[in-house]
Amino acid sequence: MPLLGFGTWQAHGESAHRAVSVALDAGYRLIDTATAYGNEDLVGRAIAESAVPREEIFITTKLPPERAGREQRTIDESLRMLGVDQLDLWLIHWPPSRGSLVDLWRRLIEIRDAGQTRTIGVSNYSLAQIDSLIAETGEAPAVNQIKWGPRLFNAAEVKGHHERGVVLEGYSPFKTTRLGDPVLTRVAQAHGVSPAQVVVRWHIQHGIVVIPKSVTPARIHTNGDVFGFKLSAEEMAAIDGLGH
């Protein structure tokens, strides 16, 4: 799973299709969508039209928990709209408010074992909820996608996911961050990059998957241009400190 991905929440219509096309051209290889976003068909069209081979693209979509009992129909629809035979990752979008967390997780395991998705995971789950899935099924989610950024940094949360063998994936990296924060602007100036690039690079150096989103081509390119510099240990610690 690539550490840098492209998010498509709130991307609709032709702007969504164009944004995914630009992201693939810019080098992003993880594309994140969801049934609830209503744009799987647009994402799929951009992937089909891209010169990037399907096997190089890591596709994630998500099951709304209110579709419990309709898991098979939902993944069939997602695959059809995305125009692929298999997902790379299928997530439960958030914990179900009704019904059993464990029963829904068991259905995902069955669908994964049938081959329609390579891996399965969750989104917006607590470590305690993940522990209940592991205790009941012996299977940990491959990924937990949660809201994340420097101001939400919690070393215990990072360690807890690592100890359970669960990849931590962060969404809304800029929405949860004050990009004008003096720490971020100082680090950005030192490297000749933007504060947004510093935030993306900070995720990557922590080994946390990050999925910035934009429909503006220039920002899509800039947000992904984070491999030409490296944050020092002191800079990483200063950014971590924003979460204290």
Side-chain angles (χ1 to χ4, degrees):
M1 184 178 187
L3 283 172
L4 174 63
F6 184 72
T8 65
W9 180 51
Q10 293 182 323
H12 302 291
E14 187 52 38
S15 65
H17 167 258
R18 183 175 64 251
V20 174
S21 297
V22 170
L24 290 169
D25 287 344
Y28 292 81
R29 291 296 178 265
L30 187 168
I31 305 296
D32 180 274
T33 183
T35 293
Y37 298 170
N39 61 17
E40 288 174 314
D41 55 336
L42 300 163
V43 171
R45 181 156 61 92
I47 289 171
E49 292 171 359
S50 171
V52 181
R54 164 66 185 98
E55 59 270 18
E56 293 182 14
I57 304 172
F58 191 100
I59 302 173
T60 301
T61 192
K62 309 177 194 78
L63 168 79
E66 64 269 19
R67 294 211 181 186
R70 293 179 288 161
E71 300 90 354
Q72 188 62 60
R73 189 186 318 168
T74 302
I75 195 169
D76 288 345
E77 288 174 359
S78 290
L79 290 170
R80 178 179 58 78
M81 287 195 286
L82 287 163
V84 296
D85 297 325
Q86 185 185 52
L87 300 176
D88 296 289
L89 176 64
W90 198 33
L91 303 177
I92 301 171
H93 206 154
W94 54 88
S97 56
R98 290 184 291 179
S100 167
L101 268 73
V102 174
D103 288 346
L104 183 54
W105 182 238
R106 285 196 173 107
R107 283 293 295 132
L108 260 72
I109 292 171
E110 291 170 3
I111 287 171
R112 179 206 60 195
D113 290 349
Q116 287 184 293
T117 182
R118 289 170 53 205
T119 50
I120 51 174
V122 295
S123 183
N124 301 304
Y125 274 55
S126 68
L127 288 174
Q129 289 170 324
I130 288 172
D131 284 341
S132 70
L133 301 183
I134 296 170
E136 293 292 331
T137 68
E139 290 246 17
V143 173
N144 185 23
Q145 185 184 114
I146 61 176
K147 189 178 289 186
W148 196 257
R151 287 188 172 274
L152 298 177
F153 179 74
N154 181 320
E157 190 85 5
V158 176
K159 182 181 178 184
H161 282 82
H162 181 73
E163 288 173 343
R164 290 161 177 80
V166 179
V167 172
L168 180 57
E169 179 177 13
Y171 67 83
S172 295
F174 308 140
K175 207 167 187 178
T176 59
T177 303
R178 188 162 66 89
L179 292 175
D181 187 283
V183 171
L184 295 176
T185 55
R186 172 174 55 79
V187 173
Q189 287 169 1
H191 293 277
V193 297
S194 70
Q197 286 171 295
V198 169
V199 170
V200 173
R201 182 72 201 183
W202 171 81
H203 280 76
I204 289 170
Q205 286 187 216
H206 267 304
I208 296 170
V209 179
V210 59
I211 48 172
K213 68 179 185 67
S214 177
V215 294
T216 306
R219 285 184 184 165
I220 293 170
H221 280 275
T222 300
N223 293 342
D225 184 15
V226 294
F227 297 101
F229 69 100
K230 185 175 182 180
L231 304 177
S232 69
E234 292 78 14
E235 289 169 336
M236 289 290 291
I239 299 168
D240 291 353
L242 296 177
H244 296 159

